[in-house]
PDB file of all heavy atoms in Angstrom:
ATOM      1  N   ARG A 307      36.214  -1.937  43.271  1.00  0.00           N
ATOM      2  CA  ARG A 307      34.923  -1.529  42.708  1.00  0.00           C
ATOM      3  C   ARG A 307      34.440  -2.540  41.663  1.00  0.00           C
ATOM      4  O   ARG A 307      33.263  -2.923  41.642  1.00  0.00           O
ATOM      5  CB  ARG A 307      35.050  -0.134  42.074  1.00  0.00           C
ATOM      6  CG  ARG A 307      33.829   0.314  41.272  1.00  0.00           C
ATOM      7  CD  ARG A 307      32.579   0.403  42.127  1.00  0.00           C
ATOM      8  NE  ARG A 307      31.389   0.610  41.325  1.00  0.00           N
ATOM      9  CZ  ARG A 307      30.151   0.425  41.752  1.00  0.00           C
ATOM     10  NH1 ARG A 307      29.938   0.017  42.992  1.00  0.00           N
ATOM     11  NH2 ARG A 307      29.126   0.635  40.961  1.00  0.00           N
ATOM     12  N   ILE A 308      35.355  -2.996  40.818  1.00  0.00           N
ATOM     13  CA  ILE A 308      34.986  -3.972  39.779  1.00  0.00           C
ATOM     14  C   ILE A 308      34.554  -5.285  40.424  1.00  0.00           C
ATOM     15  O   ILE A 308      33.595  -5.929  39.983  1.00  0.00           O
ATOM     16  CB  ILE A 308      36.153  -4.180  38.793  1.00  0.00           C
ATOM     17  CG1 ILE A 308      36.425  -2.876  38.027  1.00  0.00           C
ATOM     18  CG2 ILE A 308      35.844  -5.308  37.808  1.00  0.00           C
ATOM     19  CD1 ILE A 308      37.722  -2.864  37.237  1.00  0.00           C
ATOM     20  N   LYS A 309      35.228  -5.684  41.522  1.00  0.00           N
ATOM     21  CA  LYS A 309      34.865  -6.929  42.216  1.00  0.00           C
ATOM     22  C   LYS A 309      33.473  -6.825  42.847  1.00  0.00           C
ATOM     23  O   LYS A 309      32.723  -7.801  42.854  1.00  0.00           O
ATOM     24  CB  LYS A 309      35.923  -7.260  43.279  1.00  0.00           C
ATOM     25  CG  LYS A 309      37.205  -7.814  42.648  1.00  0.00           C
ATOM     26  CD  LYS A 309      38.384  -7.736  43.578  1.00  0.00           C
ATOM     27  CE  LYS A 309      38.336  -8.758  44.663  1.00  0.00           C
ATOM     28  NZ  LYS A 309      39.560  -8.728  45.502  1.00  0.00           N
ATOM     29  N   ILE A 310      33.149  -5.646  43.368  1.00  0.00           N
ATOM     30  CA  ILE A 310      31.801  -5.447  43.921  1.00  0.00           C
ATOM     31  C   ILE A 310      30.756  -5.593  42.811  1.00  0.00           C
ATOM     32  O   ILE A 310      29.726  -6.253  42.984  1.00  0.00           O
ATOM     33  CB  ILE A 310      31.689  -4.056  44.592  1.00  0.00           C
ATOM     34  CG1 ILE A 310      32.423  -4.062  45.937  1.00  0.00           C
ATOM     35  CG2 ILE A 310      30.235  -3.648  44.787  1.00  0.00           C
ATOM     36  CD1 ILE A 310      32.486  -2.718  46.615  1.00  0.00           C
ATOM     37  N   MET A 311      31.027  -4.989  41.650  1.00  0.00           N
ATOM     38  CA  MET A 311      30.090  -5.067  40.529  1.00  0.00           C
ATOM     39  C   MET A 311      29.903  -6.509  40.058  1.00  0.00           C
ATOM     40  O   MET A 311      28.827  -6.893  39.598  1.00  0.00           O
ATOM     41  CB  MET A 311      30.591  -4.205  39.363  1.00  0.00           C
ATOM     42  CG  MET A 311      30.598  -2.712  39.664  1.00  0.00           C
ATOM     43  SD  MET A 311      31.511  -1.747  38.428  1.00  0.00           S
ATOM     44  CE  MET A 311      30.356  -1.738  37.067  1.00  0.00           C
ATOM     45  N   ALA A 312      30.961  -7.327  40.176  1.00  0.00           N
ATOM     46  CA  ALA A 312      30.919  -8.717  39.703  1.00  0.00           C
ATOM     47  C   ALA A 312      30.537  -9.696  40.808  1.00  0.00           C
ATOM     48  O   ALA A 312      30.596 -10.921  40.602  1.00  0.00           O
ATOM     49  CB  ALA A 312      32.273  -9.102  39.118  1.00  0.00           C
ATOM     50  N   ASP A 313      30.151  -9.175  41.987  1.00  0.00           N
ATOM     51  CA  ASP A 313      29.790 -10.018  43.140  1.00  0.00           C
ATOM     52  C   ASP A 313      30.909 -10.964  43.543  1.00  0.00           C
ATOM     53  O   ASP A 313      30.670 -12.133  43.875  1.00  0.00           O
ATOM     54  CB  ASP A 313      28.509 -10.829  42.842  1.00  0.00           C
ATOM     55  CG  ASP A 313      27.280  -9.943  42.767  1.00  0.00           C
ATOM     56  OD1 ASP A 313      27.228  -8.947  43.506  1.00  0.00           O
ATOM     57  OD2 ASP A 313      26.376 -10.251  41.956  1.00  0.00           O
ATOM     58  N   LEU A 314      32.142 -10.482  43.517  1.00  0.00           N
ATOM     59  CA  LEU A 314      33.293 -11.280  43.956  1.00  0.00           C
ATOM     60  C   LEU A 314      33.645 -10.900  45.391  1.00  0.00           C
ATOM     61  O   LEU A 314      33.160  -9.905  45.933  1.00  0.00           O
ATOM     62  CB  LEU A 314      34.488 -11.045  43.033  1.00  0.00           C
ATOM     63  CG  LEU A 314      34.276 -11.365  41.549  1.00  0.00           C
ATOM     64  CD1 LEU A 314      35.534 -11.050  40.752  1.00  0.00           C
ATOM     65  CD2 LEU A 314      33.887 -12.829  41.358  1.00  0.00           C
ATOM     66  N   ASP A 315      34.509 -11.697  46.006  1.00  0.00           N
ATOM     67  CA  ASP A 315      34.920 -11.455  47.392  1.00  0.00           C
ATOM     68  C   ASP A 315      35.932 -10.315  47.408  1.00  0.00           C
ATOM     69  O   ASP A 315      37.078 -10.473  46.978  1.00  0.00           O
ATOM     70  CB  ASP A 315      35.520 -12.734  47.979  1.00  0.00           C
ATOM     71  CG  ASP A 315      35.880 -12.580  49.457  1.00  0.00           C
ATOM     72  OD1 ASP A 315      35.712 -11.465  49.995  1.00  0.00           O
ATOM     73  OD2 ASP A 315      36.325 -13.570  50.058  1.00  0.00           O
ATOM     74  N   ILE A 316      35.513  -9.168  47.946  1.00  0.00           N
ATOM     75  CA  ILE A 316      36.374  -7.978  47.943  1.00  0.00           C
ATOM     76  C   ILE A 316      37.570  -8.136  48.882  1.00  0.00           C
ATOM     77  O   ILE A 316      38.617  -7.525  48.692  1.00  0.00           O
ATOM     78  CB  ILE A 316      35.536  -6.726  48.306  1.00  0.00           C
ATOM     79  CG1 ILE A 316      36.329  -5.453  48.034  1.00  0.00           C
ATOM     80  CG2 ILE A 316      35.040  -6.778  49.726  1.00  0.00           C
ATOM     81  CD1 ILE A 316      35.526  -4.178  48.201  1.00  0.00           C
TER      82      ILE A 316
END
Side-chain angles (χ1 to χ4, degrees):
R307 171 61 190 164
I308 295 168
K309 285 162 74 176
I310 285 175
M311 294 168 76
D313 291 326
L314 302 179
D315 184 357
I316 192 173

